Amino acid sequence: MAVPRRVPRPGELAPLIRLRRPDLHPARRRLRNALTIEDLRQIARRRTPRAAFDYTDGAADDEISLARARQAFRDIEFHPSVLRDVSTVDTGWDVLGGPVALPFAIAPTGFTRLMQTEGELGGAAAAAAAGIPFSLSTLGTASIEDVATAIPQGRRWFQLYMWRDRDRSMALMERAAAAGYDTLLITVDCPVAGARLRDSRNGMAIPPSLTLRTVLDAVPRPAWWFNLLTTEPLAFASLDRWPGTVAQYMDTMFDPGVTVEDLAWIKSRWPGRFVVKGIQTLDDARRMVEVGVDGIVLSNHGGRQLDRAPVPFRLLPAVARELGSDTEILLDTGIMSGADIVAAVALGARCTLIGRAYLYGLMAGGQAGVTRAIEILTDQITRTMRLLGVTCLEELTADHVTQLPRRG
């Protein structure tokens, strides 16, 4: 049957034509159009030289651990409750003795100004504005004191590696305590550096060196090099310059002899909350509780150390069932969406840490890019909670999530 047709009247067309005022600010336009962390990742790839992008994006050996961690979050099934009043949702609670507006914090990342010139200061400012903690790495490119000055009211955590030179490590810890950092994250999964093959192939050095390859790579990314060359030279909390690769530096400096007894000694010298990062087995989680830590981070270092290591998200339910009432459980590795964070909280995590997700935003647009990453995750968390039928984090339980067995 033929559909009768007619010429539309001008008044009928007007409601269908809604012209948006063009945004002439290219960076703002890019970030506004990014709807997922993966969108920010693609922007970051285009705007950042290969060596710096691969340092963030890559993992150890065949990068199996990272792929499995991300797949583990995809392999979940949510179980929503319907006909609940979810007009108001509260995404905050207390973590490690203080309030957070969202159940995630910025993870400690090394050499951050190498990714984008605003570095830790941009990330810290975005975190403080969002009401979430910012973690500064031992290998950060902003000083302990500068970050404290930048976010005097923000929650600041300090991540510590134990070096062969114990006095130097303790001096950093004492500076963090004096500057008002409320939590120490001591990383224990780095007796030696993982085999980060992308970094080796790219010749990732500290600071970046100009070779024919890096010069050619810079041609389509002039803004990154302009920022690097026209701002303060890269400076590190622990070193000024190192002639080799990142992995070689780590092997030279990190202490492979650290034991549980050392943790107790370090804990006795730290006045705030004490958290051990890098736990990958239930037995090691039990040992940390026996030491009396305030929290543990289930983490395989973002897949950057031992490839084929346990996936933290899959380990989470067993640790939460046995130890959730004894210590706070944090989790990282593989998080790319707010739904991932909601699933982790439902299965027993008090807080999650985002590393790559924050750095993709930083590389995409500096502090504004980090803010956009936090906005994306916040929207996803809120929407997921509403669709699950919960109004606060306390209502999330293991009944809301099933970790499906891997198919194929």
Side-chain angles (χ1 to χ4, degrees):
M1 177 178 174
V3 177
R5 299 187 183 277
R6 62 182 177 81
V7 177
R9 299 183 182 91
E12 295 171 337
L13 293 175
L16 303 177
I17 302 174
R18 299 178 182 178
L19 298 178
R20 178 185 293 174
R21 180 178 297 178
D23 190 341
L24 301 180
H25 192 287
R28 189 168 56 219
R29 186 171 62 248
R30 280 195 307 269
L31 295 176
R32 185 194 65 217
N33 292 336
L35 303 180
T36 67
I37 297 300
E38 178 60 29
D39 289 345
L40 291 175
R41 177 179 177 271
Q42 294 303 325
I43 298 170
R45 181 192 288 275
R46 294 193 297 269
R47 296 184 58 78
T48 311
R50 179 175 177 176
F53 178 82
D54 278 356
Y55 176 74
T56 295
D57 195 59
D61 292 294
D62 295 323
E63 305 191 357
I64 293 170
S65 286
L66 177 58
R68 286 178 178 172
R70 287 179 173 166
Q71 189 62 51
F73 284 109
R74 297 187 188 104
D75 293 338
I76 64 170
E77 182 175 84
F78 282 122
H79 306 291
S81 298
V82 298
L83 299 176
R84 307 292 177 90
D85 181 359
V86 291
S87 53
T88 301
V89 171
D90 185 358
T91 60
W93 57 5
D94 284 350
V95 172
L96 295 170
V100 298
L102 296 154
F104 66 91
I106 300 294
T109 59
F111 317 117
T112 308
R113 277 191 59 217
L114 189 62
M115 311 304 115
Q116 201 273 351
T117 191
E118 295 178 45
E120 288 91 353
L121 297 184
I132 63 174
F134 177 84
S135 308
L136 178 65
S137 170
T138 294
L139 300 179
T141 46
S143 75
I144 291 167
E145 293 78 13
D146 284 349
V147 170
T149 299
I151 53 167
Q153 305 305 318
R155 288 196 67 187
R156 302 180 299 279
W157 297 352
F158 183 68
Q159 177 270 331
L160 182 70
Y161 288 117
M162 282 305 293
W163 295 338
R164 297 173 192 268
D165 184 345
R166 298 286 179 93
D167 290 341
R168 200 172 181 189
S169 292
M170 292 301 98
L172 283 176
M173 188 182 74
E174 290 164 4
R175 283 172 56 191
Y181 288 66
D182 64 71
T183 297
L184 184 73
L185 306 173
I186 180 162
T187 298
V188 295
D189 58 1
C190 292
V192 296
R196 302 174 191 178
L197 302 185
R198 289 204 220 181
D199 293 347
S200 297
R201 289 168 180 146
N202 290 329
M204 176 71 173
I206 312 167
S209 56
L210 290 174
T211 65
L212 177 60
R213 180 174 177 176
T214 55
V215 169
L216 292 175
D217 192 42
V219 172
R221 302 169 179 87
W224 186 93
W225 283 101
F226 176 79
N227 285 332
L228 177 72
L229 298 174
T230 60
T231 56
E232 286 294 317
L234 288 176
F236 300 86
S238 55
L239 74 160
D240 296 319
R241 176 177 292 271
W242 175 258
T245 66
V246 173
Q248 289 169 338
Y249 168 71
M250 292 171 69
D251 280 339
T252 300
M253 296 296 290
F254 291 178
D255 186 353
V258 176
T259 66
V260 174
E261 289 72 26
D262 293 311
L263 288 183
W265 174 72
I266 298 167
K267 182 176 180 296
S268 70
R269 301 184 60 173
W270 174 254
R273 300 294 173 123
F274 188 84
V275 177
V276 178
K277 181 176 182 291
I279 300 303
Q280 299 169 64
T281 69
L282 179 57
D283 283 345
D284 278 342
R286 291 189 187 107
R287 290 203 297 162
M288 295 306 99
V289 171
E290 291 169 0
V291 171
V293 302
D294 298 297
I296 57 174
V297 184
L298 302 182
S299 169
N300 64 24
H301 214 98
R304 297 164 69 82
Q305 285 297 103
L306 176 65
D307 205 11
R308 301 176 177 85
V311 174
F313 181 62
R314 292 202 175 277
L315 177 63
L316 174 61
V319 175
R321 279 193 302 269
E322 180 167 335
L323 303 174
S325 62
D326 300 321
T327 191
E328 292 191 38
I329 301 169
L330 289 73
L331 178 136
D332 71 15
T333 306
I335 293 170
M336 289 288 283
S337 79
D340 299 342
I341 294 170
V342 170
V345 172
L347 292 180
R350 192 72 184 177
C351 185
T352 59
L353 303 178
I354 59 164
R356 288 182 179 88
Y358 130 70
L359 291 176
Y360 294 144
L362 183 70
M363 289 186 285
Q367 179 180 332
V370 180
T371 297
R372 183 60 185 145
I374 294 171
E375 289 172 349
I376 289 169
L377 294 173
T378 300
D379 289 346
Q380 292 170 338
I381 289 169
T382 303
R383 183 169 54 252
T384 302
M385 289 175 65
R386 282 183 164 140
L387 291 172
L388 283 173
V390 301
T391 62
C392 61
L393 299 176
E394 288 84 354
E395 292 179 2
L396 288 168
T397 72
D399 291 337
H400 287 108
V401 180
T402 296
Q403 292 180 320
L404 299 176
R406 188 78 186 104
R407 302 187 184 98

